[in-house]
Amino acid sequence: MKITALLLLRTAGDYSSSSGPSDPVVLANASDVSHFGYFQRMAAKEFILFVARTVAKRTPPGQRQSVQHEEYKVHSYNRNGLCALAFMDDHYPVRSAFSLLNKVLDEYQKTFGDSWRVQQTDSNQPWPFLTEAFTKFQDPAEADKLLKIQRDLDETKILLHKTIDNVLARGEKLDSLVEKSSDLSAASQMFYKQARKTNQCCTLL
Amino acid sequence: MNARHGQTSYRDRTQEFIKTIENLKKSSSTPDAPSSNAVSRLEVPKSAASIQSEFSKRASQIGLGIHQTSQKLTNLAKLAKRTSVFDDPTVEIQELTAVIKQDITALNSAVVDLQHLCDSQNKGGNMSRDTTNHSTTVVDNLKNRLMSTTKEFKEVLTMRTENLKVHENRRQLFSSSASKDATNPFLRQRPLVSKGSNDSSALAPPAPWENSSTSSSPLFPRRKTNEDPSSSTQPLIQQQQQQQQIVPIQDSYMQSRAEALQNVESTIHELSNIFTQLATMVSQQGELAIRIDENMDDTLANVEGAQGALLRYLNSISSNRWLMIKIFFVLMVFLMIFLFFVA
């Protein structure tokens, strides 16, 4: 369950009026190519950029899309010309991916307002939020609150099952304790009677 | 001559058998399996025998099912091994896989039923020890066979996935060798971008980072250029296809969210159920604890009373010597008086 890259691009206006070779402009980029060999990293980065541009260009505004590319899934969400993409493997749940993209988009709009609309060239400064989001959201539960809640609830359910088993065992032990204590009280009663009997009929030697 | 077990006299059986059948026919009840015991114990051994035959019928059915499933499995294994790069009977394989899966689940449930029947039989009727042994052995045997069949099924599936991977690799080799013949891949890039789904290279392009560990450096720049045109076709094709699928994707996204919410809600309901059950159990057990407490109080009171009594007893025993001394004194006095009077 790995995120390989998170990108934010500006798509050029509407889909219908995308004029010629106006490729989307990269606004922010966070990627992790460390699992490739050393010599392939640059190629992988280029590849990611290229695929991101293509997918962003092909995503109409206000739409979400998931593209399967080799062993990666690329999820993209285009919101009013600001497009967020995520490259992840197949195991990452789709819903968490899109909620992650939502978050990234909201954060970006909060931080940068509308200044991205006029950007024409790829910006290469790393955006700290994106990089930390990248590391934080490797685990899909972080990104998707629903998933987190579901996970917590499942754990709680398991715990409760165990608790119920323990309570049942306790019930059995309490049962046996009741038995033993009632036996004890009967025995002590006999003991008392016996003691009184030996005490009363005296005239002994 | 004959074992003691439930067979009394070996020879009288036929007459009794004929009588039983006539009785049954007269009373027009459902025809049961022939009983082989005395008439007085007609009902119970008859049902035992009928249950036994039912058991063996079911067991034989299950065995037959397992055998058929394993045959289908060998067929599937042959198909899975046979697949070549181009002539892949995927549809048949998947159909066969689904059929086998259904069969296995059905057989599984049948074996579980059989086991329940066997258990109820063992508890209810007065079966002989051999019969119970036999039935449990049969059930275990069937379970083992079913397990081995399931394992083989899993192995076949893994083999199939491995074969698929091998084919994919081979395909990549073929496709990369085909596109290596391109003259100027960079020039081709643009027209490919605008082309669309008419592209014939529908094969998966080589992932640059998968095979790169085996490539040598002069091969590497060419691979890098090769992957770009072929990789550009892939998302294009998919996107062309997905242009029509965008609305369903939006819907499925929303649906998946709704589904997740419903799951959470139902989980919370279950949790509340579990909590209430827990609370009832704990309160019931609280009652038990109170009973135990009372019992212990009674015991304590009894033991204290008994202790007091024993103390008094001890006192009385220890003080008996006093009495004895007094008695002796009295005796001595009497003796003295006697001596005085006599002497």
Side-chain angles (χ1 to χ4, degrees):
Chain A
M1 292 225 255
K2 194 171 151 28
I3 308 184
T4 309
L6 276 178
L7 289 112
L8 216 60
L9 291 99
R10 175 183 84 91
T11 53
D14 292 33
Y15 176 49
S16 54
S17 67
S18 70
S19 48
S22 63
D23 271 339
V25 174
V26 176
L27 299 166
N29 185 346
S31 47
D32 171 29
V33 287
S34 53
H35 58 275
F36 302 131
Y38 181 69
F39 294 106
Q40 287 83 41
R41 282 184 198 172
M42 279 314 298
K45 275 206 167 129
E46 291 297 324
F47 182 76
I48 288 176
L49 280 174
F50 179 72
V51 173
R53 268 191 243 270
T54 324
V55 175
K57 196 163 174 191
R58 298 284 158 165
T59 315
Q63 282 286 0
R64 298 182 169 91
Q65 229 188 147
S66 301
V67 178
Q68 173 84 33
H69 179 67
E70 295 159 16
E71 77 246 1
Y72 292 99
K73 265 203 170 106
V74 184
H75 304 281
S76 71
Y77 178 36
N78 185 340
R79 199 207 284 190
N80 299 331
L82 185 63
C83 185
L85 284 110
F87 284 66
M88 41 214 15
D89 59 1
D90 288 329
H91 300 297
Y92 206 92
V94 179
R95 221 183 47 249
S96 317
F98 282 122
S99 61
L100 167 60
L101 292 178
N102 273 340
K103 265 197 214 169
V104 165
L105 281 172
D106 289 334
E107 189 64 34
Y108 192 80
Q109 295 225 281
K110 241 187 340 183
T111 330
F112 292 102
D114 272 340
S115 62
W116 53 271
R117 287 192 194 267
V118 295
Q119 222 166 350
Q120 293 295 334
T121 54
D122 298 345
S123 74
N124 286 327
Q125 288 115 11
W127 178 32
F129 174 74
L130 197 62
T131 33
E132 79 175 56
F134 184 75
T135 43
K136 196 162 61 141
F137 294 132
Q138 291 288 341
D139 178 16
E142 294 289 322
D144 196 13
K145 292 218 171 72
L146 275 178
L147 205 63
K148 196 190 241 186
I149 290 176
Q150 182 67 32
R151 225 186 254 189
D152 284 343
L153 282 175
D154 286 335
E155 283 174 12
T156 315
K157 210 159 52 143
I158 292 180
L159 267 182
L160 275 179
H161 280 304
K162 283 194 200 152
T163 314
I164 286 197
D165 287 336
N166 285 344
V167 166
L168 281 172
R170 175 176 180 258
E172 279 176 29
K173 287 185 191 154
L174 277 177
D175 262 338
S176 76
L177 268 182
V178 163
E179 294 262 338
K180 287 189 187 156
S181 66
S182 70
D183 285 345
L184 244 191
S185 91
S188 70
Q189 216 170 8
M190 295 306 298
F191 176 43
Y192 181 45
K193 280 191 188 147
Q194 199 70 6
R196 254 191 334 186
K197 213 164 45 162
T198 50
N199 207 12
Q200 286 189 336
C201 318
C202 306
T203 67
L204 126 78
L205 201 63
Chain B
M1 177 162 77
N2 21 18
R4 274 293 158 123
H5 276 308
Q7 302 171 355
T8 49
S9 61
Y10 190 52
R11 284 182 209 159
D12 292 338
R13 226 106 346 100
T14 37
Q15 302 299 322
E16 294 168 12
F17 174 44
I18 292 173
K19 270 191 230 166
T20 351
I21 288 197
E22 284 169 9
N23 281 341
L24 281 175
K25 276 189 188 162
K26 278 182 207 162
S27 61
S28 74
S29 56
T30 58
D32 279 318
S35 120
S36 59
N37 286 355
V39 182
S40 54
R41 293 190 297 151
L42 201 59
E43 294 303 319
V44 174
K46 200 163 43 148
S47 61
S50 68
I51 287 180
Q52 189 60 22
S53 68
E54 159 100 11
F55 177 80
S56 36
K57 242 190 282 179
R58 275 207 214 169
S60 59
Q61 274 175 1
I62 292 181
L64 190 63
I66 292 184
H67 180 64
Q68 284 172 351
T69 314
S70 52
Q71 274 181 338
K72 282 186 208 162
L73 199 59
T74 44
N75 270 345
L76 180 66
K78 257 192 283 179
L79 273 181
K81 272 189 217 159
R82 190 172 65 91
T83 61
S84 63
V85 183
F86 298 107
D87 182 23
D88 198 18
T90 319
V91 177
E92 299 166 14
I93 287 188
Q94 280 178 353
E95 277 176 15
L96 204 50
T97 320
V99 163
I100 290 183
K101 219 183 268 194
Q102 274 177 357
D103 283 343
I104 288 188
T105 35
L107 283 172
N108 207 6
S109 54
V111 167
V112 165
D113 284 339
L114 193 65
Q115 184 169 25
H116 284 319
L117 178 66
C118 173
D119 287 340
S120 64
Q121 246 173 285
N122 292 344
K123 276 188 216 158
N126 48 352
M127 313 275 294
S128 61
R129 212 165 16 112
D130 288 343
T131 332
T132 50
N133 267 343
H134 169 69
S135 33
T136 35
T137 324
V138 164
V139 170
D140 285 339
N141 187 19
L142 287 174
K143 267 198 234 171
N144 285 338
R145 278 168 66 184
L146 190 60
M147 232 190 327
S148 57
T149 319
T150 325
K151 268 190 215 159
E152 282 175 25
F153 184 45
K154 269 189 220 160
E155 282 173 17
V156 167
L157 284 179
T158 35
M159 191 178 51
R160 160 128 179 92
T161 39
E162 281 173 21
N163 274 350
L164 276 180
K165 271 193 214 161
V166 165
H167 292 328
E168 283 302 310
N169 284 341
R170 273 203 227 140
R171 230 178 244 173
Q172 289 163 15
L173 284 175
F174 290 152
S175 71
S176 69
S177 61
S179 55
K180 255 187 221 169
D181 298 328
T183 50
N184 199 348
F186 274 124
L187 260 184
R188 273 180 57 181
Q189 195 174 355
R190 289 295 165 191
L192 273 179
V193 163
S194 52
K195 225 195 219 175
S197 58
N198 291 341
D199 237 317
S200 54
S201 59
L203 303 171
W209 38 91
E210 265 184 335
N211 301 331
S212 52
S213 53
T214 60
S215 67
S216 54
S217 44
L219 214 52
F220 177 60
R222 254 211 264 170
R223 267 196 193 238
K224 180 184 152 188
T225 58
N226 281 336
E227 79 217 11
D228 280 338
S230 43
S231 62
S232 68
T233 61
Q234 184 83 347
L236 274 181
I237 295 166
Q238 288 167 343
Q239 282 151 29
Q240 281 285 28
Q241 291 164 351
Q242 280 173 344
Q243 293 298 328
Q244 292 106 33
Q245 294 172 9
I246 279 183
V247 170
I249 285 181
Q250 283 283 79
D251 278 347
S252 67
Y253 173 60
M254 294 302 168
Q255 271 173 5
S256 65
R257 280 182 86 98
E259 210 181 280
L261 274 173
Q262 279 173 346
N263 274 344
V264 168
E265 189 188 339
S266 59
T267 320
I268 293 185
H269 271 300
E270 285 171 18
L271 276 183
S272 81
N273 271 345
I274 294 180
F275 268 116
T276 38
Q277 278 179 3
L278 194 64
T280 20
M281 273 202 275
V282 170
S283 66
Q284 282 172 353
Q285 288 177 355
E287 202 184 291
L288 281 176
I290 289 179
R291 257 205 277 169
I292 293 178
D293 189 35
E294 282 179 15
N295 276 343
M296 295 313 290
D297 283 338
D298 285 342
T299 311
L300 184 65
N302 280 336
V303 169
E304 275 184 0
Q307 187 199 18
L310 280 180
L311 268 179
R312 275 184 276 140
Y313 185 50
L314 173 71
N315 280 339
S316 69
I317 283 189
S318 56
S319 63
N320 246 351
R321 302 217 188 103
W322 259 120
L323 278 174
M324 293 245 298
I325 292 172
K326 280 188 191 161
I327 290 172
F328 254 109
F329 254 116
V330 169
L331 273 175
M332 292 299 280
V333 164
F334 263 108
L335 267 174
M336 298 291 279
I337 294 175
F338 250 115
L339 281 173
F340 257 120
F341 268 107
V342 169

